[in-house]
Amino acid sequence: MSSPKIADKQPKVVQLEEGKTYAWCACGESSNQPYCDGSHSGTEFTPVVFKAEESKSAYLCMCKHTGNPGFCDGSHAKL
């Protein structure tokens, strides 16, 4: 498996809306970071789709190396 492109070495703070579905970019190629824009097409990567359980601020991973896909777990500090 190849490594994803590092979009940034810090998380992006976003506002999630309860009940809304999001597609987090796992490949790092999207021009709409941290969300998927289909740039992974033809690669082994697929977006992580999730539905927000509540409206809140969230830290989405931009380094693409998180152990909790979609959400920052601090992995960027080791890159």
Side-chain angles (χ1 to χ4, degrees), residues 29-48:
E29 298 290 341
S30 175
S31 61
N32 188 34
Q33 290 293 335
Y35 304 111
C36 177
D37 69 359
S39 293
H40 65 277
S41 183
T43 73
E44 64 205 76
F45 296 100
T46 57
V48 174

Side-chain angles (χ1 to χ4, degrees), residues 10-51:
Q10 60 186 10
K12 179 156 186 165
V13 181
V14 297
Q15 289 298 119
L16 301 179
E17 295 177 41
E18 180 180 0
K20 187 173 177 181
T21 300
Y22 297 89
W24 172 75
C25 169
C27 71
E29 298 290 341
S30 175
S31 61
N32 188 34
Q33 290 293 335
Y35 304 111
C36 177
D37 69 359
S39 293
H40 65 277
S41 183
T43 73
E44 64 205 76
F45 296 100
T46 57
V48 174
V49 178
F50 65 95
K51 187 179 229 179

